[in-house]
Amino acid sequence: KVHTAAKQQSAQVSVSTATNELSPRLSPTKKTYTLEECDVEDIVYILRPLLDGKKWQDYKEKIFECVRQEQLSGAKLKSMKPKDSATLMRDYCGKMVYGKMLTIFRSLTRTSTIEIIREMRILSLDMCNVADILLILREHLHEYLNHADVQEDKENIIVCVESSQMDGQKLKNMNVSTFVQEVKEYYETGDETDDAKVTAQVRKIYEALIKFDFESNTVYRASKF
């Protein structure tokens, strides 16, 4: 088995637009799937803890982008040779990822079942722990983190949220100025114009977190594996 509940992270799950309820396959009570049953977001979820090391910081978001762009569901990966999947990743993300992704894809295509643990749906900012906030930033608000004005500082923003233990309650209890001030302690542009641009984007990140729509974006918290 491949156990794929990311370290203190949640899995994003799709919602049936017809009934506005979770499909039976994606119910939090169902945990074990074949690779063919895994959709694109399941594959991102499986890969995340496997790319957790510092070595992969510069590559993992690009890898997730490739999975989504190429619609690499479990069924599609199963139909491809692992070396072809790894080559696709190499062409998209650079030669550094080839060996690692080849190992992962070989393991995935050989496994009979995959365990994905989804425990609790996050319904409001108040319910969010620090890991939930980090997942929301990376998975749902990535366009804010990848904005040109903060591109070079996005990991510093993540480190700040983690180090300052900014859970949902803490974010709600601070104001935007306090959030900006805390984040600014983790980066230094040395240029007033650049500093103003980064500050403006950091404010937008805070506002996006505070206004995050938990009804439209289904988020589950997962246990450690």
Side-chain angles (χ1 to χ4, degrees):
K1 281 187 180 180
V2 177
H3 295 278
T4 59
K7 296 176 182 177
Q8 294 185 340
Q9 292 180 339
S10 347
Q12 178 183 350
V13 202
S14 61
V15 177
S16 166
T17 53
T19 62
N20 202 30
E21 294 178 355
L22 289 170
S23 70
R25 189 181 74 75
L26 294 174
S27 164
T29 58
K30 174 126 184 190
K31 298 180 180 180
T32 305
Y33 312 99
T34 64
L35 181 61
E36 290 95 329
E37 290 179 308
C38 293
D39 63 21
V40 171
E41 287 305 320
D42 291 334
I43 299 301
V44 171
Y45 180 73
I46 288 165
L47 292 177
R48 183 169 291 285
L50 303 177
L51 300 169
D52 215 21
K54 189 174 181 181
K55 180 180 178 181
W56 302 104
Q57 283 292 332
D58 294 335
Y59 297 98
K60 61 182 182 180
E61 294 304 328
K62 195 75 174 170
I63 288 169
F64 303 151
E65 185 181 317
C66 177
V67 171
R68 292 181 173 118
Q69 196 78 18
E70 299 295 329
Q71 288 292 291
L72 296 179
S73 64
K76 187 169 182 179
L77 286 173
K78 192 77 172 178
S79 71
M80 298 170 70
K81 292 180 180 178
K83 66 178 183 179
D84 292 335
S85 304
T87 299
L88 183 64
M89 284 289 174
R90 182 196 65 196
D91 294 344
Y92 203 94
C93 308
K95 62 183 180 181
M96 270 290 292
V97 308
Y98 180 82
K100 175 76 170 180
M101 298 313 298
L102 180 60
T103 301
I104 290 173
F105 289 140
R106 277 177 176 163
S107 176
L108 279 177
T109 53
R110 288 171 184 168
T111 191
S112 57
T113 58
I114 296 171
E115 188 172 86
I116 298 177
I117 305 171
R118 300 185 181 92
E119 289 185 338
M120 182 174 67
R121 183 175 177 181
I122 308 301
L123 299 172
S124 68
L125 192 63
D126 303 87
M127 292 176 66
C128 291
N129 61 29
V130 177
D132 298 330
I133 297 298
L134 292 175
L135 183 126
I136 288 168
L137 281 170
R138 287 178 170 134
E139 293 289 318
H140 298 277
L141 302 178
H142 52 84
E143 71 272 18
Y144 290 87
L145 276 182
N146 290 323
H147 191 279
D149 291 340
V150 292
Q151 181 76 40
E152 293 180 5
D153 295 292
K154 66 178 181 180
E155 286 307 318
N156 293 331
I157 295 169
I158 293 293
V159 169
C160 173
V161 170
E162 195 164 19
S163 300
S164 301
Q165 289 295 287
M166 291 186 186
D167 59 15
Q169 287 280 1
K170 186 170 183 177
L171 283 168
K172 284 185 75 172
N173 290 335
M174 66 170 58
N175 58 35
V176 64
S177 299
T178 305
F179 179 79
V180 169
Q181 194 58 45
E182 288 204 27
V183 171
K184 283 180 76 171
E185 292 178 11
Y186 286 79
Y187 70 84
E188 186 176 347
T189 64
D191 182 284
E192 285 188 17
T193 303
D194 286 346
D195 187 65
K197 288 180 179 178
V198 174
T199 297
Q201 188 60 25
V202 170
R203 291 178 71 92
K204 290 178 182 178
I205 290 170
Y206 173 82
E207 288 162 2
L209 281 169
I210 293 297
K211 295 174 182 177
F212 187 75
D213 185 352
F214 288 89
E215 281 194 24
S216 300
N217 300 281
T218 309
V219 179
Y220 274 88
R221 179 177 299 152
S223 63
K224 292 182 181 180
F225 68 99

